[in-house]
């Protein structure tokens, strides 16, 4: 009984420490997400008319894609775009990917070199919990409908322990559009502040 209580207390302390280190404590009000962004543009100036509609591939005709577009909308508006499905000048195609990956905080001795998980028999092994960790990526393609030419393309990537897909993907779309229509060349880091939940 005493041993079980000690193990439970250690688990709680370990999770509290992890939350504190990651800035996810109860008093945190914002998160700063560090995103890697790469953008390309052929625009020489901000177009006077940034009316757009979303464009979908045949594989994107689903509710998940509609949700992704909803997450991209605020970032597009912040960059100057105006949604106009009836009379658009541009089409915008967006995509998002979320994948759970091995955390860099995971203890390396909990895995064999081949990638398999090692089995433990001691009570201390119960404390080795792999924290959740995610890799998220968004892409955005803007096409001039009058010429069918792509005028802007951007991808943004983030990895971290935050479980709120909607907040992180929204921040990634904002990062992908930073600098529009003249983003810096090459891969760059873009920080976006989002409310902590």
């Amino acid at each position: 009984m005493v041993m079980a209580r000690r193990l439970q207390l250690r688990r709680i302390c370990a999770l509290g420490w992890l939350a504190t280190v990651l800035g996810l404590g109860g008093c945190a009000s914002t998160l700063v997400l560090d995103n890697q962004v790469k953008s390309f543009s052929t625009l020489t100036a901000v177009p006077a008319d940034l009316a757009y509609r979303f464009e979908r591939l045949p594989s994107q005709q689903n509710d998940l894609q509609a949700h992704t577009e909803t997450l991209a909308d605020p970032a597009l508006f912040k960059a100057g775009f105006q949604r106009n499905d009836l009379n658009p000048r541009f089409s915008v195609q967006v995509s998002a990917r979320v994948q759970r990956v091995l955390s860099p905080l995971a203890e390396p001795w909990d895995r064999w070199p081949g990638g398999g998980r090692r089995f433990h028999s001691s009570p201390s092994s119960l404390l080795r919990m792999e924290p959740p960790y995610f890799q998220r990526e968004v892409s955005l393609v803007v096409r001039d409908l009058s010429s069918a030419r792509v005028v802007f393309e951007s991808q943004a990537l983030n990895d971290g322990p935050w479980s709120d897909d909607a907040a992180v993907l929204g921040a990634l779309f904002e990062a992908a559009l930073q600098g529009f229509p003249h983003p810096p060349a090459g891969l760059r880091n873009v920080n976006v502040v989002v409310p902590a939940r």
Side-chain angles (χ1 to χ4, degrees):
M1 184 74 168
V2 174
M3 183 65 153
R5 284 184 182 169
R6 283 184 184 166
L7 285 174
Q8 186 176 13
L9 181 60
R10 285 181 185 171
R11 282 190 204 125
I12 291 169
C13 289
L15 289 173
W17 174 83
L18 180 62
T20 301
V21 168
L22 297 174
L24 299 175
C27 60
S29 59
T30 59
L31 293 173
V32 178
L33 300 180
D34 181 25
N35 311 293
Q36 291 185 316
V37 179
K38 195 166 190 179
S39 305
F40 307 88
S41 180
T42 61
L43 294 169
T44 56
V46 179
D49 177 14
L50 280 173
Y52 76 98
R53 64 169 169 80
F54 282 113
E55 175 184 338
R56 294 185 185 181
L57 296 173
S59 61
Q60 295 176 322
Q61 306 298 322
N62 52 56
D63 291 340
L64 181 59
Q65 181 63 21
H67 180 63
T68 302
E69 292 167 358
T70 299
L71 296 176
D73 255 331
L76 286 160
F77 181 78
K78 190 172 182 178
F81 286 86
Q82 298 290 328
R83 180 86 178 261
N84 187 339
D85 292 338
L86 298 178
N87 191 26
R89 179 178 174 187
F90 298 97
S91 70
V92 177
Q93 183 182 336
V94 296
S95 64
R97 181 182 62 83
V98 178
Q99 180 179 5
R100 185 164 179 169
V101 296
L102 179 64
S103 168
L105 302 174
E107 297 182 28
W109 53 82
D110 276 351
R111 292 191 173 268
W112 292 108
R117 184 164 289 284
R118 192 185 302 185
F119 292 98
H120 299 279
S121 58
S122 67
S124 64
S125 67
L126 296 175
L127 300 177
R128 294 187 179 121
M129 296 183 299
E130 183 180 309
Y133 204 81
F134 303 91
Q135 186 177 77
R136 296 177 177 91
E137 183 178 5
V138 302
S139 69
L140 186 142
V141 175
V142 179
R143 191 183 306 273
D144 187 331
L145 290 172
S146 65
S147 63
R149 186 170 55 96
V150 172
V151 295
F152 185 82
E153 177 187 1
S154 189
Q155 299 88 32
L157 174 71
N158 173 277
D159 58 87
W162 306 282
S163 59
D164 190 344
D165 285 339
V168 177
L169 292 175
L172 278 168
F173 280 118
E174 185 176 333
L177 283 159
Q178 191 173 88
F180 177 85
H182 302 295
L187 187 66
R188 66 193 192 276
N189 287 335
V190 176
N191 291 339
V192 177
V193 178
V194 298
R197 298 183 185 181

